[in-house]
Amino acid sequence: MGIGANQEERASLSERMRAEIRGLPAVERAEIDESLHRMQWNESAYDFPADLKEEVLQQLAARAWSRYPLALRPFRLTDALARTLGVEPNQIVAAGGSSEVIRVVMSALLGAGDAVVMPTPTFLLYRRYARMLGARICEIQLHAADDFALPVDSMIEAARAEQARAVVLCAPNNPTGTVYAQADVARLAAGCACAVVIDEAYLEFSGQELLPLVETHPNIILIRTFSKAYRMAGVRVGYAVAAAEVAAQLQKGVNSFALSVFQEVVAEVALAHAHRFADGVAEVIAERERLAAGLRALPGVIVFGSGTNFLLVQPACDVKALIRHLLEVERVLVSDNGGYAELAGMLRVTVGTPEENDMVLRGFAACCRD
Ligand code: PMP
């Protein structure tokens, strides 16, 4: 925009942006008060271990920051991932956070007018990217009454009827926490001719391992992240695993040098110390079950089953008042599931430290009386 451009010119440029972009909600400025207990975004309550941070910093100090990484792709990381997972390196596509991997996968599969089938509620980014690409979104409703089970037949039917290019699901699901039956996921993949994208952001907390399905169902694309179990949400590393031919196509949509030297080194160090993070995951699972049991013991509180690091909870009391109480009295932030009308009356709480979980229990106990 040149000097002297007036209001009208600016408005008209904004109007020339694609309708799919203009249709999306604005990205508002919002900052989080760091003094709050942040239990709204499914991050790890514990930071990346201090001694491993030290190891990262030492490696980074020895690297030239003036140079691009040594290859267009982070081969050292993808080789290490391949060894860990027991797949070929060319089956892995890494990028800056699984959010970026989701964008790469969706834009490789969907163009204007193409149909994509997904359950609802699920992670909102899928809907957002599908909209941005001008795709037709066929949402299949999940129901609290049957514990948000995967509606396999309806999804297969919709994929066939709409000649969908992709079916998307999160396993376990966010925001419900649901672990779908493995047989259901396999039946869905077998019943769909199109790509089946499975987001495993929370896999480590679920005890479910869907990686073998990539071998038996070559239409599956798995999406994973270092943000949750590896406590690296601030670092931004994610990856996809798929058949080598599929991964080669996805790779074309990834920026060159998609990971900074920092991102790659942190992920390498994390992988090399995977057992440390596995111990942390076991603690989160134990705390999740303690928190769930404590909440279920309160009058009228329903806690849905979860294979993640968070719980979806339906209290009998006024949920808005409860969220306000948690914020103002306990200084705990939880998610009101803002984007999902069908989850009105429920809230989502990330498993925190034992002390933070006690704050949540105390807040619920104060609001959820007979
Ligand atoms: N997938 C799911 C299901 C998620 O819940 C999230 C974040 N909460 C992401 C992907 C994105 O994670 P990231 O971009 O940090 O890898």
Side-chain angles (χ1 to χ4, degrees):
M1 187 65 44
I3 293 170
N6 61 27
Q7 180 85 29
E8 232 166 69
E9 280 173 290
R10 285 200 294 272
S12 95
L13 177 56
S14 139
E15 273 158 27
R16 269 179 270 142
M17 301 286 177
R18 291 172 50 229
E20 291 82 5
I21 297 289
R22 281 189 285 122
L24 292 173
V27 181
E28 302 290 355
R29 178 173 177 146
E31 271 167 52
I32 298 202
D33 175 350
E34 270 195 82
S35 70
L36 294 173
H37 300 279
R38 291 144 67 173
M39 303 175 78
Q40 85 286 30
W41 277 353
N42 308 338
E43 300 151 319
S44 166
Y46 297 99
D47 195 4
F48 198 78
D51 57 325
L52 301 188
K53 278 186 176 175
E54 239 0 277
E55 192 174 326
V56 167
L57 294 177
Q58 275 179 15
Q59 287 199 37
L60 284 174
R63 297 276 284 265
W65 295 11
S66 57
R67 300 281 179 187
Y68 288 110
L70 288 175
L72 291 178
R73 293 158 59 177
F75 286 117
R76 277 185 25 181
L77 174 61
T78 50
D79 286 353
L81 273 169
R83 277 194 302 277
T84 307
L85 301 177
V87 300
E88 295 300 321
N90 60 0
Q91 290 186 263
I92 297 175
V93 178
S98 64
S99 304
E100 178 62 9
V101 179
I102 294 168
R103 191 190 59 72
V104 167
V105 169
M106 299 288 272
S107 56
L109 289 167
L110 300 172
D114 291 334
V116 53
V117 175
M118 60 182 87
T120 183
T122 200
F123 187 43
L124 283 171
L125 210 51
Y126 288 96
R127 195 195 285 175
R128 183 182 169 86
Y129 282 136
R131 278 201 188 139
M132 209 184 293
L133 293 161
R136 280 184 295 127
I137 306 170
C138 312
E139 291 185 318
I140 311 291
Q141 190 68 50
L142 300 174
H143 298 285
D146 63 357
D147 284 329
F148 302 107
L150 194 64
V152 180
D153 293 314
S154 313
M155 289 179 76
I156 293 175
E157 236 167 75
R160 288 189 184 157
E162 302 292 332
Q163 298 188 317
R165 309 237 347 172
V167 167
V168 169
L169 63 145
C170 297
N173 192 33
N174 178 15
T176 62
T178 319
V179 179
Y180 298 131
Q182 185 144 344
D184 281 353
V185 178
R187 194 158 69 81
L188 177 66
C192 294
C194 62
V196 176
V197 179
I198 306 176
D199 182 332
E200 289 191 290
Y202 302 96
L203 99 124
E204 292 88 350
F205 306 96
S206 74
Q208 187 178 69
E209 178 60 81
L210 298 177
L211 186 63
L213 293 183
V214 174
E215 207 40 56
T216 50
H217 300 76
N219 56 335
I220 288 184
I221 299 171
L222 295 183
I223 296 180
R224 295 181 166 189
T225 182
F226 279 85
S227 292
K228 312 293 178 181
Y230 286 99
R231 312 185 206 161
M232 282 170 47
V235 181
R236 317 300 301 131
V237 183
Y239 62 97
V241 189
E245 297 80 355
V246 177
Q249 299 301 333
L250 296 176
Q251 187 62 52
K252 296 176 189 175
V254 180
N255 285 338
S256 303
F257 310 119
L259 294 189
S260 69
V261 289
F262 172 65
Q263 288 164 299
E264 186 176 15
V265 166
V266 185
E268 280 174 9
V269 168
L271 265 191
H273 297 275
H275 61 282
R276 302 264 303 267
F277 296 91
D279 292 348
V281 165
E283 277 173 42
V284 171
I285 293 171
E287 270 301 298
R288 178 186 75 205
E289 295 311 312
R290 183 180 76 87
L291 179 58
L295 291 172
R296 283 191 186 112
L298 297 170
V301 176
I302 296 170
V303 182
F304 294 94
S306 169
T308 65
N309 64 350
F310 61 85
L311 294 171
L312 183 68
V313 188
Q314 183 171 23
C317 63
D318 175 0
V319 78
K320 283 205 176 81
L322 171 59
I323 290 173
R324 204 175 325 115
H325 177 92
L326 285 170
L327 183 64
E328 289 170 5
V329 180
E330 303 294 344
R331 300 201 45 80
V332 165
L333 256 181
V334 297
S335 167
D336 64 356
N337 299 306
Y340 315 96
E342 60 264 60
L343 298 185
M346 302 182 194
L347 60 81
R348 192 191 66 190
V349 54
T350 309
V351 177
T353 62
E355 297 72 31
E356 288 174 328
N357 299 330
D358 286 343
M359 293 171 194
V360 171
L361 286 169
R362 200 165 53 217
F364 265 78
C367 295
C368 303
R369 298 202 205 95
D370 279 321

